[in-house]
Amino acid sequence: MSTFGFHRHSLSLKLGVTITAFIALLFISSVGLLYIRSRQLVKQEALERAEKALDKATLRVSCYLNEIEAVTENLKWIANQDQTPDSLLAYTHRIVTLSTNIDGCSITMEPDFFPPSIGRFSAYTVRKGDSIITQREGDYDYYSKVWYRTPKEQQRPCWIDPYNDYNAGTLSNDDIIVSYSIPLTDKTGRFIGVISTDLSQTWLSKTIDENKPYPHSYCTILGRDDRLPDISGEPCYVFQKTLHQTGWQISLICPERDILGSYKRLGYIIFTVLAIGIILLLIFFMRSIARFVSPLNQLVSQSQYIASGHFGEPMARTRRTDLVGQLQNSFSTMQESLAEQIGQLQQANERAEERNRELQRLNELAQKARLEKKAFLQDVSHQIRTPLNIIQGFLNVVLKNNSDLTVREKAHIMAMMQKNAFSLRRMAYMLYDATWLEKGQKLEYNDIVSCNAVASKAIDALHRFTPGKDDTVIFETALDDDIQIRTHEKRLIYILHELLFNAKKFAPDGTVKLTVYETPGTVNFAIEDEGPGIPPEERLRIFNHFFKHSPFSEGLGLGLYLCRHYIRLMGGELSLDTTYEKGSRFIIRLPLM
């Protein structure tokens, strides 16, 4: 090889490596920054998904625990009415039979409660597969067991951490269980026994684990003194929530390979393609430069032209067909291509900025949604806690001062307790319905009912929860009793009852009006009151879920949202009559048969 040929290849190699390295540095820097940023976003989204799954599992377990507490409290009230051995055995059997989530139930009385002829007594029912076994427990020291000792010492209902209740030779649960125990007292307040309702920890853990967000993630429930299992084998993210009823911890363990596994595989592919692209660029530049560096003497004038500062102006093309002419035309073409690429890069940057703004907007919406969720949970807690406190307070008054209360005072207390119990049930139904609708469920409406009859039933349902105010609903109809529609009768009565209930809250004297009339193709139910009405700025939002006129007002902000949704599922429409100026008027329109 000649000296010139050696320098030519050396120059092409140096230029090729330099240019390729520069371009590779730009690409690697850009791709690296985008990779890091996108990794953060993917990780953040994955963590939020895991937190939502944990919140859902916590809410589900809380509902189960609340159900167990309510069932056990009801059993306590029933057990206080009749405390014969046969009745106690029947009570435990009925609770386990009716509540499929309960694995066992026992009513254990103090050793001296029954006469010596009966002796120690404990009624116990346990679920064994598809069978339910009820019997009087054998004579063993169950008074020292944690499920009996703890509520007796604390003198209050309590949840017992997971424990093994196996007792050789007796009827017992083979699984690790958790129990909700309530102390029993007589009319004088003397401790007489314990009611204990059992749940299988295996079933509870399986229920929690159904909400795992990733293939290898898992949920676990820990007692107050339990520790998280050893997860030192691989990097994991651990999320924890505390059950307020029990103090237990629900933990969600997500391996890092699940959260970032697919993203890592994508990274390998990107960097592999990038490496291959850099090698191809190096080869291309070396071969291209090698073709054009030989006639260096002919490029001096062109180099001086560029060196004089004309690199920003388009280089003139030439008709020459030699290497210099081709190189000049190639430079001109490359300059035009660079200008076009710069324009495209500017457009790409503008699109990237627009996407960043969109991402920022979505992040703000996500933050707003998290805040709304937090506010909703706090509101639900407050709305539930208030009637519970009222019921508890009145219950304590009745238990402590029952003999000192007059008949009128007792009637007032029972009315207040009934009212607040209705509020709790109403909120529970709304939460259940909202969850049911979020799953995209369909509503079958095949009931053929009289329009006037269904309106009367809704008014009767309202009167049952507002006794003594039967004249507060004015009912007018322009239809004959034989005019019928196809609908879901139970849901339509519920919707009319909900609208009447809301109207009564805002009516100054509690009087509302329900009117039934017909328009071409539809039957209309109009509910109106003469209250303050709805401000114009809120009329477009009143049917949104969780919307409330004031954060301190009663309710969850789900009533109108659920009513409209169910009416639409029945082929109708619920709307606010904006022409009505004396208060508020809501109109339900349903198709005629």
Side-chain angles (χ1 to χ4, degrees):
M1 182 181 293
S2 65
T3 303
F4 181 77
F6 172 77
H7 286 293
R8 183 184 63 183
H9 286 288
S10 176
L11 180 60
S12 64
L13 178 60
K14 291 180 180 179
L15 289 174
V17 171
T18 302
I19 295 174
T20 304
F22 178 72
I23 295 178
L25 180 62
L26 290 178
F27 273 90
I28 291 174
S29 300
S30 302
V31 172
L33 291 174
L34 291 175
Y35 181 80
I36 293 173
R37 177 57 181 162
S38 58
R39 184 179 187 275
Q40 294 173 347
L41 294 176
V42 170
K43 179 180 178 181
Q44 180 181 354
E45 182 181 357
L47 296 180
E48 290 175 357
R49 177 184 174 188
E51 289 179 353
K52 291 179 180 178
L54 181 59
D55 290 340
K56 183 178 179 181
T58 304
L59 179 60
R60 188 174 183 183
V61 172
S62 295
C63 290
Y64 284 137
L65 298 184
N66 289 336
E67 178 184 348
I68 297 303
E69 291 177 1
V71 169
T72 311
E73 292 288 349
N74 290 336
L75 178 57
K76 174 184 176 181
W77 181 85
I78 296 173
N80 283 331
Q81 310 303 314
D82 187 358
Q83 295 171 345
T84 62
D86 290 341
S87 298
L88 297 181
L89 288 168
Y91 295 156
T92 61
H93 185 275
R94 179 174 178 81
I95 289 299
V96 177
T97 302
L98 295 180
S99 301
T100 58
N101 296 335
I102 295 178
D103 273 24
C105 180
S106 66
I107 302 178
T108 305
M109 309 304 290
E110 280 284 86
D112 57 351
F113 181 79
F114 288 112
S117 60
I118 297 178
R120 295 182 178 183
F121 181 83
S122 178
Y124 185 47
T125 297
V126 65
R127 190 184 303 276
K128 296 284 189 180
D130 296 332
S131 301
I132 296 176
I133 303 174
T134 301
Q135 68 178 37
R136 174 179 176 177
E137 289 197 86
D139 189 9
Y140 73 94
D141 189 14
Y142 33 74
Y143 302 105
S144 64
K145 296 296 183 179
V146 64
W147 53 266
Y148 190 93
R149 185 179 67 255
T150 302
K152 180 178 180 180
E153 294 174 352
Q154 297 182 3
Q155 290 296 307
R156 62 179 179 84
C158 57
W159 280 96
I160 308 302
D161 286 349
Y163 65 94
N164 188 346
D165 192 42
Y166 177 75
N167 298 286
T170 66
L171 178 64
S172 59
N173 199 317
D174 301 332
D175 198 358
I176 299 298
I177 61 175
V178 297
S179 298
Y180 180 68
S181 299
I182 297 181
L184 284 173
T185 57
D186 58 15
K187 294 181 179 180
T188 65
R190 182 176 65 90
F191 177 82
I192 61 174
V194 169
I195 298 177
S196 180
T197 306
D198 304 330
L199 285 177
S200 167
Q201 188 189 30
T202 301
W203 174 84
L204 194 59
S205 299
K206 181 179 178 181
T207 300
I208 297 172
D209 206 41
E210 291 177 355
N211 295 285
K212 63 180 183 179
Y214 299 105
H216 301 95
S217 62
Y218 60 94
C219 288
T220 183
I221 185 167
L222 304 175
R224 300 176 184 88
D225 299 325
D226 293 341
R227 293 185 177 181
L228 194 68
D230 185 16
I231 56 174
S232 58
E234 62 175 327
C236 295
Y237 291 90
V238 179
F239 307 86
Q240 288 187 322
K241 289 283 186 180
T242 302
L243 291 170
H244 68 275
Q245 300 102 320
T246 64
W248 302 338
Q249 295 282 339
I250 294 182
S251 300
L252 173 63
I253 296 93
C254 298
E256 188 180 49
R257 59 191 171 98
D258 273 1
I259 293 180
L260 298 177
S262 60
Y263 192 77
K264 288 181 178 179
R265 290 193 295 271
L266 178 61
Y268 297 149
I269 295 173
I270 290 175
F271 285 106
T272 301
V273 172
L274 186 61
I276 295 173
I278 291 173
I279 295 173
L280 294 177
L281 280 175
L282 178 60
I283 296 173
F284 171 76
F285 283 130
M286 286 180 60
R287 292 186 176 183
S288 299
I289 293 172
R291 291 175 55 191
F292 296 107
V293 297
S294 56
L296 295 178
N297 56 339
Q298 300 179 25
L299 292 177
V300 173
S301 59
Q302 298 297 332
S303 299
Q304 291 175 347
Y305 178 80
I306 295 175
S308 62
H310 297 87
F311 51 84
E313 299 178 5
M315 185 178 292
R317 291 182 175 271
T318 181
R319 295 182 179 181
R320 293 171 58 178
T321 58
D322 57 6
L323 291 176
V324 175
Q326 294 176 14
L327 183 59
Q328 182 176 345
N329 290 333
S330 296
F331 272 125
S332 178
T333 302
M334 184 176 65
Q335 191 173 9
E336 293 173 357
S337 178
L338 286 174
E340 182 180 354
Q341 292 296 326
I342 290 173
Q344 293 177 357
L345 286 174
Q346 290 176 345
Q347 294 178 359
N349 287 335
E350 292 175 356
R351 290 195 295 269
E353 291 178 357
E354 180 63 26
R355 182 168 296 180
N356 288 336
R357 288 193 293 270
E358 180 64 17
L359 287 174
Q360 183 179 1
R361 186 183 68 83
L362 293 177
N363 285 333
E364 292 174 353
L365 290 177
Q367 180 66 21
K368 181 180 179 182
R370 286 193 294 272
L371 294 176
E372 290 179 348
K373 176 183 176 182
K374 180 179 180 181
F376 172 70
L377 291 176
Q378 292 174 345
D379 188 40
V380 169
S381 175
H382 172 73
Q383 295 291 343
I384 292 177
R385 186 169 60 250
T386 299
L388 280 177
N389 289 339
I390 294 174
I391 293 174
Q392 183 65 39
F394 280 124
L395 183 59
N396 291 335
V397 171
V398 173
L399 292 175
K400 294 180 179 179
N401 305 301
N402 186 36
S403 60
D404 297 334
L405 297 174
T406 65
V407 174
R408 183 175 182 180
E409 289 173 338
K410 290 180 180 180
H412 174 71
I413 288 175
M414 295 303 296
M416 292 299 295
M417 293 175 67
Q418 182 182 18
K419 176 182 177 182
N420 285 278
F422 165 67
S423 297
L424 284 174
R425 188 178 69 172
R426 180 168 170 263
M427 285 186 283
Y429 283 162
M430 285 186 176
L431 290 172
Y432 173 79
D433 286 349
T435 305
W436 189 80
L437 292 175
E438 287 295 331
K439 294 180 180 179
Q441 302 289 344
K442 294 183 178 180
L443 183 68
E444 298 292 338
Y445 53 99
N446 298 315
D447 300 329
I448 309 300
V449 297
S450 167
C451 299
N452 293 338
V454 77
S456 298
K457 290 180 180 179
I459 295 174
D460 293 338
L462 181 67
H463 288 159
R464 285 197 297 273
F465 296 104
T466 55
K469 298 183 178 180
D470 294 348
D471 58 343
T472 58
V473 178
I474 300 174
F475 177 46
E476 294 183 357
T477 179
L479 303 181
D480 295 333
D481 290 341
D482 58 352
I483 301 297
Q484 297 178 323
I485 56 174
R486 182 186 301 275
T487 184
H488 190 292
E489 182 179 8
K490 182 178 179 181
R491 286 296 179 189
L492 183 55
I493 293 174
Y494 165 78
I495 293 167
L496 290 171
H497 171 268
E498 185 67 21
L499 294 175
L500 289 169
F501 182 82
N502 284 342
K504 288 188 64 177
K505 288 195 301 184
F506 296 104
D509 57 356
T511 301
V512 298
K513 182 178 181 181
L514 171 59
T515 306
V516 183
Y517 61 96
E518 180 181 351
T519 55
T522 63
V523 170
N524 305 318
F525 298 84
I527 298 92
E528 61 185 54
D529 61 75
E530 297 184 359
I534 299 173
E537 64 273 9
E538 294 183 356
R539 292 175 181 175
L540 296 178
R541 298 186 295 158
I542 58 174
F543 292 103
N544 294 344
H545 61 296
F546 308 141
F547 174 78
K548 297 171 64 176
H549 176 68
S550 169
F552 304 102
S553 60
E554 179 183 353
L556 302 176
L558 289 173
L560 290 176
Y561 164 77
L562 294 175
C563 289
R564 170 178 271 190
H565 211 121
Y566 277 121
I567 289 297
R568 288 180 173 177
L569 289 178
M570 290 186 281
E573 184 58 58
L574 170 63
S575 61
L576 173 68
D577 186 358
T578 56
T579 63
Y580 185 73
E581 298 179 351
K582 295 181 179 179
S584 298
R585 175 191 286 158
F586 289 89
I587 301 177
I588 298 174
R589 296 178 175 86
L590 292 173
L592 281 169
M593 292 180 55

